[in-house]
C-alpha cells in the first residue's frame, strides 16, 4: 500500500496478486507514463513518453542528442507548462535555418530517440585523456551497487531504467525513466543546464548498450560507460572508433570490458 510519501512518477493501481497459491486483491505501485511535448523555437519536435519527472532536462537533453542544441550557449530560454505538459525551448540557430522536426507531432517516442546514429561513425575525442579516469573492478561494482540502491522508482515499481553521472569517487546524480534513452537525455540536459564538465565523468546505467546509447554518451564527451546489461556488436565497434570504454554485464562480481585503453586498473 501507499505510504503517503510516494516518489513522483508513481501511481497505485488495483491488481490481483498471486501469493502462496491464492489470488489476493492489492494496491500495487506502477510507474507513470505521460506524453511530454517538446518545442524548439515554436516548432513541435517530439512527443516523448516519460514518467514526467525532470521534463526540462529531458527536453534539453533530447534536443542536444538530436544536434539541435550544440552546447549550453545555444540555449536562450527554457519554459515549462505543467498544465500542457509542454517544454518550449528558445535556442540559437544558424541564420536562415530552422530546427528539423524530429518526429511527427502525432507520434510518441517512447525512448526519446530517432535511431539516427546507427550509420554515423564517431570520431575519437580531441582533448587529452584525464589522468583521474581509471577504475578498479571493485570500484566499478561499487558504483553499480550505489546506482541500483538509489533507483527509487525502480525499487518501488520495477518499471524504470536508471542512469547516473559519476566520477571515480562516486555517483553525482541519477535519473530514472520508462525509456533508457530518456534517462541518458535527462543527464545530458542536467550537464548542459548546470555547466558540468564531462571529460573525467562516467555513465553508470541499466539497459542494453546500443549504438544510439553510445552516440548520446559520446556526444556528452564521456569516455567510460558502465552498464548492468550487454552491448550490441555495432555499439562495440562505434565505441572503439571513438575511443570509448564499455564495461558491460556488471553484476554478481562479473563484467566484460571492451576497449579498456588503460582505464581499468587491475
Amino acid at each position: 500500500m501507499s505510504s503517503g510519501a510516494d516518489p513522483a512518477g508513481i501511481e497505485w493501481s488495483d491488481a490481483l496478486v498471486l501469493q502462496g497459491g491464492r489470488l489476493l486483491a492489492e494496491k500495487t505501485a506502477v510507474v507513470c507514463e505521460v506524453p511530454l511535448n517538446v518545442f524548439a523555437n515554436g516548432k513541435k519536435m517530439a512527443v516523448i513518453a516519460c514518467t514526467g519527472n525532470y521534463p526540462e532536462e529531458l527536453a534539453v537533453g533530447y534536443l542536444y542528442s538530436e544536434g539541435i542544441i550544440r552546447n549550453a550557449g545555444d540555449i536562450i530560454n527554457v519554459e515549462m507548462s505543467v498544465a500542457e505538459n509542454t517544454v518550449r525551448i528558445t535556442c540559437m540557430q544558424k541564420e536562415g535555418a530552422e530546427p528539423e522536426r524530429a518526429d511527427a507531432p502525432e507520434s510518441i517516442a517512447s525512448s526519446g530517440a530517432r535511431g539516427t546514429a546507427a550509420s554515423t561513425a564517431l570520431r575519437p575525442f580531441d582533448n587529452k585523456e584525464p589522468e583521474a579516469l581509471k577504475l578498479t573492478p571493485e570500484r566499478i561494482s561499487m558504483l553499480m551497487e550505489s546506482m541500483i540502491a538509489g533507483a527509487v522508482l525502480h525499487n518501488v515499481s520495477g518499471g524504470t531504467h536508471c542512469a547516473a553521472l559519476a566520477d571515480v569517487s562516486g555517483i553525482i546524480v541519477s535519473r530514472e525513466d520508462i525509456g533508457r534513452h530518456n534517462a541518458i537525455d535527462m543527464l545530458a540536459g542536467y550537464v548542459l543546464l548546470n555547466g558540468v564538465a564531462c571529460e573525467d565523468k562516467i555513465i553508470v546505467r541499466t539497459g542494453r548498450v546500443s549504438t544510439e546509447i553510445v552516440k548520446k554518451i559520446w556526444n556528452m564527451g564521456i569516455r567510460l560507460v558502465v552498464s548492468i546489461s550487454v552491448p550490441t556488436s555495432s555499439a562495440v565497434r562505434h565505441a572503439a572508433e571513438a575511443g570509448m570504454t564499455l564495461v558491460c554485464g556488471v553484476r554478481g562480481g562479473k563484467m566484460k570490458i571492451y576497449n579498456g585503453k588503460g582505464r581499468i586498473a587491475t
Side-chain angles (χ1 to χ4, degrees), residues 97-223:
E98 292 185 1
E100 178 187 354
R101 190 175 67 189
D103 295 285
E106 297 79 15
S107 69
I108 295 182
S110 61
S111 67
R114 283 194 288 174
T116 56
S119 61
T120 305
L122 303 182
R123 67 179 184 277
F125 293 103
D126 297 329
N127 47 1
K128 185 179 178 182
E129 177 80 6
E131 294 181 5
L133 193 61
K134 180 173 283 193
L135 294 173
T136 63
E138 293 75 17
R139 174 59 63 177
I140 290 170
S141 294
M142 189 179 301
L143 287 174
M144 180 61 69
E145 291 168 3
S146 179
M147 183 198 68
I148 292 172
V152 177
L153 297 182
H154 186 272
N155 294 337
V156 172
S157 70
T160 62
H161 283 287
C162 185
L165 184 72
D167 59 21
V168 294
S169 63
I171 301 295
I172 297 170
V173 65
S174 295
R175 293 290 181 259
E176 292 182 76
D177 200 81
I178 57 174
R180 59 196 174 97
H181 293 267
N182 291 353
I184 296 296
D185 284 342
M186 286 176 178
L187 291 180
Y190 174 88
V191 163
L192 282 184
L193 293 172
N194 291 279
V196 178
C198 288
E199 289 83 1
D200 61 345
K201 301 301 187 295
I202 304 151
I203 291 290
V204 186
R205 60 183 300 278
T206 60
R208 184 182 69 256
V209 182
S210 63
T211 303
E212 185 71 28
I213 290 293
V214 166
K215 183 185 182 233
K216 286 175 182 283
I217 295 172
W218 168 85
N219 200 41
M220 295 168 66
I222 291 176
R223 308 160 193 256

Side-chain angles (χ1 to χ4, degrees), residues 1-265:
M1 294 292 291
S2 171
S3 65
D6 301 315
I10 292 293
E11 294 182 0
W12 290 81
S13 296
D14 294 320
L16 292 175
V17 180
L18 183 64
Q19 294 183 0
R22 299 174 58 197
L23 285 173
L24 304 176
E26 289 189 5
K27 292 283 188 181
T28 62
V30 292
V31 67
C32 295
E33 180 179 351
V34 299
L36 178 69
N37 302 293
V38 179
F39 285 77
N41 294 344
K43 177 175 284 190
K44 193 169 191 177
M45 306 304 293
V47 183
I48 303 176
C50 61
T51 62
N53 293 343
Y54 304 101
E56 295 94 337
E57 289 180 359
L58 176 55
V60 168
Y62 173 80
L63 295 184
Y64 180 59
S65 292
E66 295 299 324
I68 296 163
I69 293 174
R70 295 160 297 182
N71 52 58
D74 283 348
I75 303 171
I76 299 172
N77 185 56
V78 180
E79 180 181 347
M80 173 67 193
S81 170
V82 176
E84 299 176 350
N85 211 34
T86 295
V87 178
R88 298 181 184 276
I89 298 173
T90 306
C91 54
M92 299 287 290
Q93 59 189 52
K94 294 179 181 179
E95 186 176 352
E98 292 185 1
E100 178 187 354
R101 190 175 67 189
D103 295 285
E106 297 79 15
S107 69
I108 295 182
S110 61
S111 67
R114 283 194 288 174
T116 56
S119 61
T120 305
L122 303 182
R123 67 179 184 277
F125 293 103
D126 297 329
N127 47 1
K128 185 179 178 182
E129 177 80 6
E131 294 181 5
L133 193 61
K134 180 173 283 193
L135 294 173
T136 63
E138 293 75 17
R139 174 59 63 177
I140 290 170
S141 294
M142 189 179 301
L143 287 174
M144 180 61 69
E145 291 168 3
S146 179
M147 183 198 68
I148 292 172
V152 177
L153 297 182
H154 186 272
N155 294 337
V156 172
S157 70
T160 62
H161 283 287
C162 185
L165 184 72
D167 59 21
V168 294
S169 63
I171 301 295
I172 297 170
V173 65
S174 295
R175 293 290 181 259
E176 292 182 76
D177 200 81
I178 57 174
R180 59 196 174 97
H181 293 267
N182 291 353
I184 296 296
D185 284 342
M186 286 176 178
L187 291 180
Y190 174 88
V191 163
L192 282 184
L193 293 172
N194 291 279
V196 178
C198 288
E199 289 83 1
D200 61 345
K201 301 301 187 295
I202 304 151
I203 291 290
V204 186
R205 60 183 300 278
T206 60
R208 184 182 69 256
V209 182
S210 63
T211 303
E212 185 71 28
I213 290 293
V214 166
K215 183 185 182 233
K216 286 175 182 283
I217 295 172
W218 168 85
N219 200 41
M220 295 168 66
I222 291 176
R223 308 160 193 256
L224 205 161
V225 183
V226 175
S227 182
I228 198 171
S229 190
V230 296
T232 66
S233 60
S234 180
V236 171
R237 288 194 297 270
H238 278 77
E241 290 171 358
M244 292 175 65
T245 297
L246 305 182
V247 185
C248 299
V250 181
R251 62 177 78 197
K254 297 180 179 180
M255 61 190 71
K256 295 180 180 179
I257 301 164
Y258 303 87
N259 197 36
K261 296 187 77 69
R263 295 173 185 143
I264 310 301

